[in-house]
Amino acid sequence: MVQRYTPNILSLDISHLTFHNTELGTACLKAFFLTNQNIQKFSTSWKEMSDEILDFIGQHAKELRDISLIDCLAPTTIGISKLGQQCKKLEKVDLKGVCFISDIAVLPLVSNGHLTKLSLAECEITDLALKLIVRCMKDKIKDLDLSWCEEITIDGINAVATSCSSLRRLALHQCPATEMTLALLSENCLLLQSLSLSSIKSISDSAVISMVAQLHLLEELDISWNPALTDASVSAALTSCVQLKTFCLSGIKQLSSKPFLPIISDVKKWRRCQALLRLKLQERKVLEDSDEPHCSSDEEFEDLYLPHRSTSYAPNLRRLNVEYCDKVNDTHLAEITAVCRGTLKIVDYYGQEIEPGWIACRKGRVFMAVA
């Protein structure tokens, strides 16, 4: 059969595709890259993705700008290094879960001068790789993920926080960051829009409060599993970071509902309204039992109030995660969800999405959550 067209695919995502055997996968990928040499973006999570295939990609895909190899276990330091040497236009590289690569793999990638996004999560890099990033990319790197990199130290992380002023996204899950790191971020990385500080453990309320007061552009913040944090940190973030859209607070055991109640614009007025409704329902029950006539005056309903979402406190928040937060009251969360009328999704202790609930009633009783 004669091929009557020349393929020119620019983007390929096979992240959820698994080949039946290594030989088949290798042959398919080689055939693809041989005929689509203008490809600019490629994503795969195939665990058998080998150095041999990476070398073939490097030889034929010179226009490649974005590559994602998440959870590809086979590539080695040599394979990644060679790819960086051959594909000199790379701008985005995701190596999350490519566990066995070292600092040598990073050098060619950062030396090309085009890289703006780099994920090294779970890799065996050291402070040397971070120093290379600072030396070669400090003014260009915008997205950096160092999560679960067990060999890096406070010195390397602080070097990044001091020098990489163009960062928009930074992930430091379970990294040896300190309160000094947060201070450096607040001084030097004012363009941050996404920041992950999960499981840092050594940070306090005062450090978080000082940091969020400066990072006004934050849209995503993860401070989960930090046992020393309390309501004070959460309130400060919701007050200072008005652009915040996603807030992850999982596992903060001292957290209560208090920081979230101001999302309701006038929560005190809403409480008075709830009290009135409770009184009226109880009154109705008594009258129904006694069959006595009763008329209510308009004045009795002056406190009726339909609450709305605050326009100044967490106005852009769209997703809130409070998994494994023991002290957060689900009734409060249901009220907040109802008041937000579909603009805010809250994930509860068990990982379930909170259903809206204006008021909890049962057999003439209104159960009013106490703020």
Side-chain angles (χ1 to χ4, degrees):
M1 182 179 292
V2 179
Q3 182 170 310
R4 298 183 181 277
Y5 72 97
T6 301
N8 190 32
I9 296 174
L10 300 181
S11 177
L12 177 66
D13 185 348
I14 56 170
S15 300
H16 302 289
L17 179 64
T18 300
F19 297 101
H20 292 297
N21 58 65
T22 304
E23 291 76 14
L24 175 63
T26 300
C28 288
L29 288 173
K30 284 186 176 181
F32 174 83
F33 283 101
L34 185 63
T35 54
N36 293 276
Q37 298 192 18
N38 291 322
I39 189 167
Q40 297 180 9
K41 183 177 181 180
F42 175 59
S43 300
T44 182
S45 293
W46 185 38
K47 297 189 184 302
E48 302 300 324
M49 187 75 178
S50 64
D51 286 352
E52 177 188 350
I53 304 174
L54 291 178
D55 183 36
F56 193 88
I57 292 173
Q59 293 177 34
H60 297 88
K62 301 296 184 181
E63 298 299 315
L64 194 63
R65 288 167 169 76
D66 185 337
I67 187 167
S68 174
L69 301 173
I70 296 175
D71 293 331
C72 293
L73 301 178
T76 68
T77 295
I78 295 174
I80 299 296
S81 177
K82 198 166 185 180
L83 179 71
Q85 294 170 16
Q86 295 171 319
C87 298
K88 296 185 179 296
K89 296 183 179 181
L90 280 172
E91 298 173 3
K92 300 178 180 180
V93 178
D94 195 333
L95 301 174
K96 180 181 179 180
V98 186
C99 302
F100 304 110
I101 61 171
S102 64
D103 300 325
I104 298 173
V106 176
L107 180 57
L109 296 172
V110 301
S111 299
N112 292 334
H114 300 292
L115 213 60
T116 60
K117 174 183 177 180
L118 179 60
S119 175
L120 297 169
E122 302 178 52
C123 297
E124 292 184 340
I125 60 166
T126 69
D127 285 353
L128 176 59
L130 302 187
K131 291 176 182 178
L132 289 171
I133 292 171
V134 169
R135 188 177 71 187
C136 303
M137 303 165 50
K138 64 179 182 180
D139 296 324
K140 294 184 178 180
I141 189 70
K142 295 181 180 179
D143 188 335
L144 183 61
D145 189 349
L146 302 173
S147 303
W148 302 291
C149 291
E150 298 179 353
E151 304 301 322
I152 60 177
T153 70
I154 296 171
D155 292 339
I157 294 173
N158 286 353
V160 170
T162 299
S163 303
C164 298
S165 58
S166 296
L167 279 171
R168 266 65 167 181
R169 303 177 66 88
L170 178 63
L172 298 173
H173 292 284
Q174 209 164 323
C175 287
T178 64
E179 295 191 357
M180 175 59 72
T181 307
L182 273 61
L184 292 171
L185 289 173
S186 65
E187 292 174 11
N188 305 302
C189 301
L190 301 180
L191 299 178
L192 276 172
Q193 297 174 347
S194 176
L195 180 59
S196 297
L197 297 170
S198 175
S199 300
I200 301 299
K201 292 185 173 58
S202 61
I203 59 175
S204 66
D205 278 337
S206 59
V208 172
I209 292 169
S210 298
M211 180 190 70
V212 296
Q214 303 300 320
L215 301 182
H216 302 296
L217 300 180
L218 277 179
E219 296 180 6
E220 300 175 9
L221 180 60
D222 183 352
I223 53 174
S224 57
W225 299 105
N226 288 301
L229 299 185
T230 69
D231 290 353
S233 291
V234 177
S235 294
L238 294 174
T239 301
S240 301
C241 305
V242 295
Q243 302 299 324
L244 198 62
K245 296 178 180 178
T246 302
F247 202 5
C248 187
L249 303 167
S250 303
I252 299 182
K253 298 300 183 180
Q254 300 185 64
L255 181 63
S256 73
S257 306
K258 187 176 180 180
F260 311 122
L261 291 175
I263 294 175
I264 301 174
S265 60
D266 192 338
V267 70
K268 291 182 178 179
K269 192 171 183 179
W270 172 231
R271 291 287 178 256
R272 291 196 297 271
C273 177
Q274 287 177 310
L276 175 61
L277 291 172
R278 179 183 180 184
L279 175 64
K280 287 300 177 183
L281 285 172
Q282 291 175 339
E283 183 180 84
R284 180 184 298 176
K285 185 176 184 299
V286 171
L287 292 173
E288 287 174 352
D289 292 342
S290 63
D291 293 325
E292 293 181 7
H294 176 75
C295 295
S296 295
S297 66
D298 292 339
E299 288 76 10
E300 290 180 295
F301 292 92
E302 288 180 354
D303 279 331
L304 282 179
Y305 170 69
L306 186 63
H308 57 85
R309 181 169 184 171
S310 172
T311 58
S312 58
Y313 188 84
N316 292 295
L317 193 64
R318 295 295 177 263
R319 185 172 180 83
L320 176 65
N321 191 324
V322 290
E323 287 183 87
Y324 304 108
C325 295
D326 306 62
K327 298 181 180 180
V328 176
N329 187 309
D330 283 352
T331 303
H332 287 154
L333 299 183
E335 286 181 288
I336 293 167
T337 302
V339 169
C340 291
R341 295 174 174 84
T343 62
L344 175 61
K345 293 183 178 179
I346 303 178
V347 178
D348 69 8
Y349 182 96
Y350 298 102
Q352 302 297 313
E353 192 172 308
I354 289 285
E355 294 294 329
W358 286 103
I359 204 163
C361 302
R362 187 176 71 230
K363 293 182 179 180
R365 296 182 61 194
V366 176
F367 297 94
M368 180 177 60
V370 179

